[in-house]
Amino acid sequence: MKKIFTFLFAIAFCGGMYAQDEFVLLAPETQKEVTPDGLLSFTNCDLTLDTGSGDQTAGSTDVTARHWNNDVTFLGYKVSKNDKINIYLPDGAKLYRIEAFGFSNGDNWDYVLSYGEDEWGDPEWVDPIGGEVKDNATIQNAVFPVDPCGYVTDGAKTEWTKENAGYTFFTKTFGTPYEGKFTFVISGNNTCAFKLRCWLQEPSGINETKADVNANNSECYNVAGQVVKSNYKGVVLKGNRKYIVK
């Protein structure tokens, strides 16, 4: 007897369907090109990125931040103090979670000053410590501080440590997903290098549909790429479709 499974009918965006536990990476290693309007595009999705540096071509090539004292290297996008970073979303895509990871490029701290924009262009959230803060001890109390890759001082001895290289400094899940554009601003005392993970909801209008997975002879796979049998429960990939086996 043929098994009938429920699957989400694929409306393609960002290179395919995305369940809510999947993310797309915006980083130099997934970058495709600079678009005619000066935005960074990516091979794994239809999102575009404006790093706020003004020269996106330079931003797409000069992306290595190095702590010279100990050869810690992190390939990410450089931003300067108070640069506004914009993520542009394709029609129908909704950003419901974001993570930024990287570090301050020096021995001083940075922080996420604000995120979101209202209809007047003002930020929807601003860190309680405010902007233009010059004191590192104050910046360390920010909600989303960007530390300088484990810079430590022990009496007269100062050294760099590698343990925190590329750590996550900005993690936020939104009750109401963003559509169209998401903006955040990094401030502080140094440049910052970062990459982004973006979690997306499916476009509106996706329908839950019944389908016969025996309609063709291709094998079924789980998300790890392993062949599974017909009694497997969970997410199944078959014939370029994603099925949810219940």
Side-chain angles (χ1 to χ4, degrees):
M1 181 177 179
K2 294 182 178 180
K3 289 183 175 285
I4 304 296
F5 298 101
T6 301
F7 78 99
L8 297 178
F9 180 74
I11 297 178
F13 79 102
C14 287
M17 295 176 58
Y18 290 88
Q20 290 196 3
D21 59 350
E22 297 176 332
F23 63 84
V24 294
L25 177 67
L26 306 187
E29 57 264 38
T30 60
Q31 184 179 312
K32 180 169 61 176
E33 61 186 2
V34 180
T35 67
D37 52 356
L39 302 176
L40 302 177
S41 63
F42 299 88
T43 58
N44 59 342
C45 67
D46 293 334
L47 276 67
T48 52
L49 179 67
D50 176 4
T51 65
S53 65
D55 184 352
Q56 293 292 85
T57 302
S60 67
T61 55
D62 183 18
V63 293
T64 301
R66 178 182 294 272
H67 287 290
W68 301 105
N69 294 41
N70 72 346
D71 294 327
V72 172
T73 301
F74 178 84
L75 192 65
Y77 292 114
K78 283 185 177 179
V79 292
S80 298
K81 181 177 64 178
N82 296 332
D83 277 342
K84 181 183 290 186
I85 298 118
N86 293 307
I87 302 170
Y88 294 97
L89 306 164
D91 291 343
K94 297 180 180 181
L95 176 71
Y96 76 92
R97 178 179 172 85
I98 187 169
E99 287 186 359
F101 58 106
F103 49 79
S104 176
N105 187 26
D107 60 356
N108 293 312
W109 288 68
D110 294 305
Y111 67 107
V112 176
L113 169 62
S114 63
Y115 65 78
E117 279 188 346
D118 61 22
E119 56 186 309
W120 297 281
D122 295 323
E124 296 174 343
W125 177 88
V126 178
D127 192 284
I129 69 172
E132 298 298 331
V133 176
K134 300 299 183 182
D135 179 71
N136 279 346
T138 303
I139 294 177
Q140 292 178 46
N141 293 323
V143 177
F144 303 111
V146 188
D147 81 20
C149 190
Y151 183 82
V152 295
T153 301
D154 180 13
K157 180 182 179 182
T158 300
E159 63 181 12
W160 295 95
T161 60
K162 299 183 180 182
E163 286 76 11
N164 293 328
Y167 85 117
T168 300
F169 61 83
F170 179 32
T171 300
K172 185 67 179 178
T173 299
F174 307 109
T176 301
Y178 281 85
E179 299 182 68
K181 182 178 75 170
F182 176 74
T183 298
F184 67 100
V185 177
I186 292 178
S187 188
N189 295 327
N190 255 104
T191 57
C192 172
F194 72 93
K195 302 179 185 183
L196 294 171
R197 300 184 185 100
C198 299
W199 279 259
L200 306 170
Q201 289 181 346
E202 297 287 0
S204 59
I206 289 181
N207 299 314
E208 190 173 271
T209 310
K210 296 291 183 179
D212 184 353
V213 298
N214 291 317
N216 57 58
N217 295 322
S218 60
E219 292 183 310
C220 295
Y221 299 86
N222 60 19
V223 293
Q226 300 166 323
V227 177
V228 296
K229 296 181 179 180
S230 59
N231 61 351
Y232 179 83
K233 304 296 184 184
V235 177
V236 174
L237 308 176
K238 180 180 175 70
N240 295 321
R241 300 282 188 178
K242 178 183 291 185
Y243 300 85
I244 300 175
V245 180
K246 297 182 178 179

